[in-house]
Amino acid sequence: MQIQNSVVVVTGASSGIGAATARAFAAAGARVVLAARREERIRALALELGDAIAVRCDVTSQTDISTLATAALDRFGRIDVLVNNAGQGLQATVEQVSVSDFRDVLELNLVAPLAMMQAVLPSMRANGSGAVVNVSSGTTFADVPGTGCYVASKIALERLSAVARNELAGTGVTVSTVIPFATETEFLTSIKAGRSDAEAMTAGASFDDPRVVAEAIVDLVRTGEARKDLVPAAYGGTR
């Protein structure tokens, strides 16, 4: 897909990978719709980017998702790209994890991306083209104790993406997955539970700049490829 003048919706756009992705698309000539709960942040980013709008959106709210899609269509008349970036971590063993916390993480990391896809696909189908990029996690490459519930949500998202890609074959709409490695974001400060354990697990790790992930996302939209991981070969990835 050509990026110039395309309309790109980015969830979780208030910081980290989401904000970097919005900037990367804007730099490539896209018009960007910024979605996040922290409205003041995305409003400031929209002013920085120019041809962009900010829409406060909790992606676990169907009402907010509908409002987001309507705002994008009202302003730009189409939706060409969706980046499902909003998500949250959870660090706890299978024995200790709160089932309520797990449900909340599944709602945000898995159900919300599905609801977002359903909201934008009618516009993409009508235009005969579109791209969805779902953001997974390099934690899916290992069976690290304490990551099971978070990994389960991201593995499920990867499979949902793959099936959706096959279902939409021939429509002009592609669905792709990007799999970042450790990235410098606010992930640990917003983790659902187990922050101290997660910080201990990642202590001393080398973190990627969010712009690395953003460029990978833009590249997936350009090429339409199914999947791109940023995981080092030492951990089973292709990097």
Side-chain angles (χ1 to χ4, degrees), residues 49-119:
L49 299 182
D51 199 4
I53 60 171
V55 183
R56 188 197 177 281
C57 181
D58 176 349
V59 292
T60 65
S61 163
Q62 191 63 53
T63 299
D64 282 8
I65 289 174
S66 298
T67 299
L68 172 62
T70 298
L73 293 171
D74 285 349
R75 173 64 180 268
F76 298 117
R78 59 190 292 139
I79 298 172
D80 299 301
V81 179
L82 166 65
V83 180
N84 270 320
N85 167 69
Q88 188 174 37
L90 175 61
Q91 186 81 13
T93 66
V94 170
E95 287 183 288
Q96 296 175 334
V97 68
S98 159
V99 172
S100 176
D101 284 348
F102 185 37
R103 287 196 177 102
D104 287 345
V105 167
L106 286 174
E107 187 72 27
L108 180 57
N109 292 0
L110 179 61
V111 178
L114 171 63
M116 283 297 309
M117 286 192 284
Q118 290 179 337

Side-chain angles (χ1 to χ4, degrees), residues 5 8 19 30 41 50 56 60 69 86 113 144-145 153-154 205 213 218-219 229:
N5 294 322
V8 181
R41 288 200 182 188
R56 188 197 177 281
T60 65
V144 178
S153 72
K154 290 299 190 177
V213 186
V218 172
D219 189 56
D229 78 74

Side-chain angles (χ1 to χ4, degrees), residues 137-144 179-182 201-208 227 229-239:
S137 167
T139 56
T140 60
F141 278 60
D143 302 323
V144 178
I179 306 174
F181 195 56
M201 185 180 72
T202 57
S206 176
F207 288 85
D208 285 336
R227 173 184 168 108
D229 78 74
L230 300 173
V231 179
Y235 295 91
T238 60
R239 189 174 174 189

Side-chain angles (χ1 to χ4, degrees), residues 81-85 131-135 175-178 217 220-221:
V81 179
L82 166 65
V83 180
N84 270 320
N85 167 69
V132 176
V133 179
N134 292 319
V135 181
V175 181
S176 308
T177 305
V178 66
I217 291 170
L220 279 174
V221 172

